[in-house]
Amino acid sequence: MIDKTCESLEAAVADVHDGATVMIGGFGNAGMPASLIDALIAQGARELTIVNNNAGNGDTGLAALLKAKRVRKIICSFPRQSDSHVFDALYRAGEIELELAPQGNLAERIRAAGAGIGGFFTPTGYGTLLAEGKETRLIDGRHYVLESPIHADFALIKALRGDRWGNLVYRKAARNFGPIMATAAKCTIAQVAEIVPLGALDPEVIVTPGIFVQRVVLQGNGK
């Protein structure tokens, strides 16, 4: 019997290893798997490469992971905002590496990994510092930059509901990067507010099929 549910958040992230590349869903706090991040902090993995849309807000969630000095590098599109003081201090001190990617490029690089695409040409970033060292090409009179896919060892995502097969539905915009990150990681771990019986999810509204999800765990502390 296929049953991808985990008994605890701790068990769900127990094998995240030092040096792993970890995708974390969320657009700011919307859709961020805060309970899984807290479990990862307690687990203790270090030297992580994190892929996320931003670089943390305030002192909780992703910012708390950065503050614990567990992250070696972050790949994101929006590293600085009014409350990104944790990342800002680490970056200015030379204690974290940043790879900046325009938001559309970031999403497409993740999607390309999940789709098995070896790379793609985009006009976004051409002629800027973001294109340095990358292949460029003139196509139909327009300049393009070659961008590579982003693969991950683990993806931590948040969904509204899931079943024991790993099928997921999301809550509105909290979906954001979750579906594409689920396809691009070797092991996708989904934090859900509710685990429902098989058949309770309408197949027409399932966004992430269970084939892309390895573990499902109930979120903790109402997050």
Side-chain angles (χ1 to χ4, degrees):
M1 181 179 71
I2 298 175
D3 188 351
K4 299 179 181 179
T5 58
C6 291
E7 68 274 15
S8 68
L9 293 156
E10 292 74 20
V13 300
D15 61 346
V16 178
H17 55 85
D18 290 354
T21 296
V22 182
M23 292 180 175
I24 297 179
F27 195 88
N29 290 323
M32 183 178 67
S35 295
L36 281 173
I37 296 173
D38 288 346
L40 182 59
I41 294 171
Q43 188 258 26
R46 296 181 173 275
E47 294 293 306
L48 301 173
T49 295
I50 298 297
V51 183
N52 185 263
N53 182 63
N54 65 320
N57 305 81
D59 295 286
T60 61
L62 178 55
L65 184 65
L66 298 181
K67 192 173 183 178
K69 304 289 184 74
R70 304 293 174 77
V71 180
R72 178 187 65 83
K73 177 181 178 179
I74 189 163
I75 303 173
C76 71
S77 68
F78 196 67
R80 293 200 64 202
Q81 54 198 62
S82 61
D83 59 352
S84 60
H85 52 267
V86 174
F87 168 79
D88 191 64
L90 290 171
Y91 185 74
R92 290 178 183 276
E95 297 179 1
I96 192 169
E97 181 182 347
L98 170 66
E99 180 179 335
L100 189 63
Q103 192 171 83
N105 288 5
L106 179 68
E108 186 64 5
R109 290 175 67 188
I110 296 169
R111 192 199 68 82
I117 296 171
F120 60 93
F121 283 96
T122 173
T124 305
Y126 178 82
T128 73
L129 293 175
L130 298 178
E132 285 191 354
K134 298 178 182 179
E135 180 183 342
T136 59
R137 187 172 296 184
L138 183 65
I139 304 174
D140 292 334
R142 192 175 188 184
H143 293 283
Y144 290 81
V145 180
L146 179 64
E147 292 286 355
S148 58
I150 303 175
H151 298 269
D153 299 300
F154 297 89
L156 309 183
I157 63 175
K158 181 179 180 179
L160 180 61
R161 297 184 183 90
D163 61 27
R164 65 175 172 86
W165 282 359
N167 297 308
L168 304 176
V169 296
Y170 302 83
R171 185 181 186 277
K172 301 180 180 180
R175 167 191 313 195
N176 51 72
F177 287 84
I180 57 172
M181 287 183 171
T183 69
K186 295 176 183 176
C187 179
T188 295
I189 307 169
Q191 165 191 321
V192 298
E194 182 183 8
I195 297 177
V196 300
L198 288 179
L201 300 177
D202 181 351
E204 295 296 330
V205 301
I206 290 172
V207 178
T208 297
I211 193 172
F212 296 117
V213 179
Q214 283 66 51
R215 299 171 196 164
V216 179
V217 62
L218 281 172
Q219 65 189 29
N221 302 322
K223 295 179 181 178

